[in-house]
């Protein structure tokens, strides 16, 4: 395919204003690659970290974006039919090679997931990375069984809200934290059983609600509250470290015998595109379409609003999963 496309390019790290919209050539895929016409893409804090220059990988200049949904424009190897609806994420996307902040993205075929759905593109754009992270935190990190209790530390983040939805679908008792009392009702609307206002120390309140401590917890805030989350978990329970909303990434002077309560397990989850199976993605989209699950969609932006979107991410004012929509026409390939 020849021609030009709109894309956001970052030449060097800096504030949101370094996100520059330009006309660039549409990439040409080769065998083993898929060219996707991007209809929407989710916004992620890892893209904020990359733009700021504090990410652990990546190079500049670069088009950011670790996920996207859209339709197949070309697949020289025949892995997907033209016009098929697909999602893609991770695998170096937006760091080692140009990512989803563009009208087209070229990715390895192995990190493309097909799906069928008539949900709006804004809703679909919110799902891939959020679902992969939340499902992986449960399935790989915590491994709860129905009827058990789960603490979500950082419940009003996009992944936290997705975790609440998945956990209720799986029959768990859900406790979720928020620092803002005004956001408590949003969590209750997702089915959260107990909303805890987070003042930095929630373990005592958790143990009042669940004597002995929760069976599992997902840490989305960071190492600044991890010790308290561990204290909220019962012996034999598991804490999965998944997120760093606080931007505090490392534990200084870590002494395991002092940090880890007896018998509490600490795991972590990162994940890649291959960790989100087509069956998991399709099943979740079908549940949303049937009204059995909801997508915690926050603000929806246009591509030309990308600078404002990053300001909103930095200020935590998106109110759910932020999504950029490039094309609302659902019928044309």
């Amino acid at each position: 395919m020849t021609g030009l496309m709109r894309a956001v390019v970052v030449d060097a790290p800096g504030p949101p204003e370094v996100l520059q919209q330009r006309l660039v050539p549409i990439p040409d895929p080769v065998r083993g690659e898929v060219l996707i016409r991007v209809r929407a893409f989710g916004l992620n804090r890892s893209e904020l970290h990359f733009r700021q220059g504090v990410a652990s990988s990546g190079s500049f200049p670069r088009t950011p974006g670790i996920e996207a949904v859209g339709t197949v424009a070309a697949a020289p190897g025949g892995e997907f039919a033209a016009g098929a609806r697909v999602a893609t994420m991770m695998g170096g996307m937006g760091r080692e090679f140009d990512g989803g902040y563009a009208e087209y993205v070229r990715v390895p075929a192995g990190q493309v997931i097909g799906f069928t759905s008539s949900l709006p593109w804004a809703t679909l754009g919110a799902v891939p990375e959020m679902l992969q992270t939340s499902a992986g935190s449960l399935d790989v990190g915590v491994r709860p069984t129905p009827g058990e209790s789960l603490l979500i530390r950082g419940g009003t983040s996009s992944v936290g809200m997705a975790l609440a939805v998945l956990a209720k679908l799986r029959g768990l008792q859900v406790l979720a934290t928020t620092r803002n009392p005004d956001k408590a009702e949003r969590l209750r609307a997702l089915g959260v059983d107990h909303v805890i206002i987070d003042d930095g120390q929630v373990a005592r309140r958790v143990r009042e609600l669940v004597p002995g401590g929760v069976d599992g917890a997902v840490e989305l805030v960071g190492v600044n509250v991890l010790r308290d989350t561990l204290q909220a978990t019962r012996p034999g329970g598991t804490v999965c470290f998944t997120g760093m909303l606080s931007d505090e990434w490392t534990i200084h002077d870590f002494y395991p015998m002092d940090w880890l309560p007896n018998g509490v397990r600490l795991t972590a989850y990162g994940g890649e595109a291959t960790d989100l199976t087509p069956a998991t993605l399709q099943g979740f989209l079908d549940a949303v379409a049937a009204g059995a699950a909801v997508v915690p969609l926050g603000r929806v932006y246009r591509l030309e609003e990308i600078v404002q979107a990053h300001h909103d991410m930095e200020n935590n004012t998106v109110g759910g999963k932020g999504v950029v929509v490039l094309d609302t026409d659902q019928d044309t390939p």
Side-chain angles (χ1 to χ4, degrees):
M1 179 178 292
T2 60
L4 299 176
M5 67 175 184
R6 292 181 299 153
V8 174
V9 180
V10 178
D11 291 318
E17 285 71 22
V18 300
L19 296 159
Q20 298 292 311
Q21 183 176 298
R22 298 176 186 166
L23 288 176
V24 302
I26 298 173
D28 283 324
V30 299
R31 290 183 66 87
E33 296 179 333
V34 176
L35 180 67
I36 300 170
R37 181 184 176 187
V38 177
R39 303 304 187 94
F41 59 83
L43 297 166
N44 301 278
R45 291 190 71 84
S46 66
E47 295 149 3
L48 184 154
H49 297 150
F50 173 74
R51 190 214 75 220
Q52 293 172 329
V54 298
S56 59
S57 63
S59 61
F60 299 92
R62 180 68 61 215
T63 293
I66 65 168
E67 65 175 320
V69 296
T71 52
V72 173
E79 296 90 348
F80 296 91
R85 295 186 174 214
V86 294
T88 186
M89 74 192 86
M90 306 291 283
M93 186 177 171
R95 292 193 177 186
E96 277 77 38
F97 59 90
D98 288 335
Y101 285 24
E103 291 184 300
Y104 291 86
V105 64
R106 179 182 60 190
V107 298
Q111 64 186 70
V112 178
I113 307 168
F115 64 86
T116 58
S117 178
S118 58
L119 292 169
W121 285 114
T123 301
L124 295 169
V127 171
E129 177 62 14
M130 183 174 64
L131 180 62
Q132 180 266 128
T133 304
S134 56
S137 296
L138 291 178
D139 295 336
V140 178
V142 179
R143 299 184 180 180
T145 58
E148 289 189 334
S149 55
L150 178 76
L151 171 65
I152 304 170
R153 192 74 180 260
T156 51
S157 66
S158 59
V159 172
M161 289 188 283
L163 268 165
V165 172
L166 285 182
K168 294 307 297 181
L169 285 173
R170 299 183 184 193
L172 303 181
Q173 178 189 16
V174 178
L175 299 81
T177 71
T178 177
R179 292 180 299 171
N180 187 346
D182 294 337
K183 295 181 178 180
E185 193 54 42
R186 181 87 190 267
L187 291 173
R188 294 189 184 99
L190 296 175
V192 170
D193 298 287
H194 301 286
V195 177
I196 300 171
I197 305 305
D198 194 341
D199 61 358
Q201 296 182 339
V202 304
R204 178 178 297 179
R205 178 59 178 151
V206 169
R207 287 177 173 270
E208 290 174 354
L209 295 166
V210 183
V214 291
D215 298 299
V218 178
E219 179 61 73
L220 299 173
V221 175
V223 299
N224 57 317
V225 298
L226 175 60
R227 191 173 186 177
D228 184 57
T229 300
L230 289 162
Q231 294 290 336
T233 308
R234 68 166 175 82
T238 302
V239 176
C240 177
F241 189 88
T242 297
M244 297 166 287
L245 293 168
S246 65
D247 291 338
E248 295 190 38
W249 302 1
T250 58
I251 302 173
H252 301 288
D253 300 322
F254 175 60
Y255 177 44
M257 294 295 290
D258 184 40
W259 263 75
L260 299 173
N262 285 340
V264 176
R265 301 177 178 90
L266 176 61
T267 65
Y269 180 75
E272 281 289 351
T274 52
D275 293 322
L276 178 60
T277 66
T280 298
L281 176 59
Q282 190 64 57
F284 182 77
L285 295 178
D286 291 345
V288 173
V294 295
V295 174
L297 182 64
R299 184 172 174 183
V300 178
Y301 303 86
R302 301 186 303 274
L303 189 64
E304 54 267 28
E305 296 176 305
I306 193 64
V307 171
Q308 182 60 53
H310 270 241
H311 276 295
D312 291 347
M313 275 202 292
E314 288 187 345
N315 295 325
N316 296 315
T317 58
V318 177
K321 178 72 172 186
V323 175
V324 173
V325 175
L326 285 85
D327 189 349
T328 57
D329 180 357
Q330 299 216 52
D331 298 321
T332 57

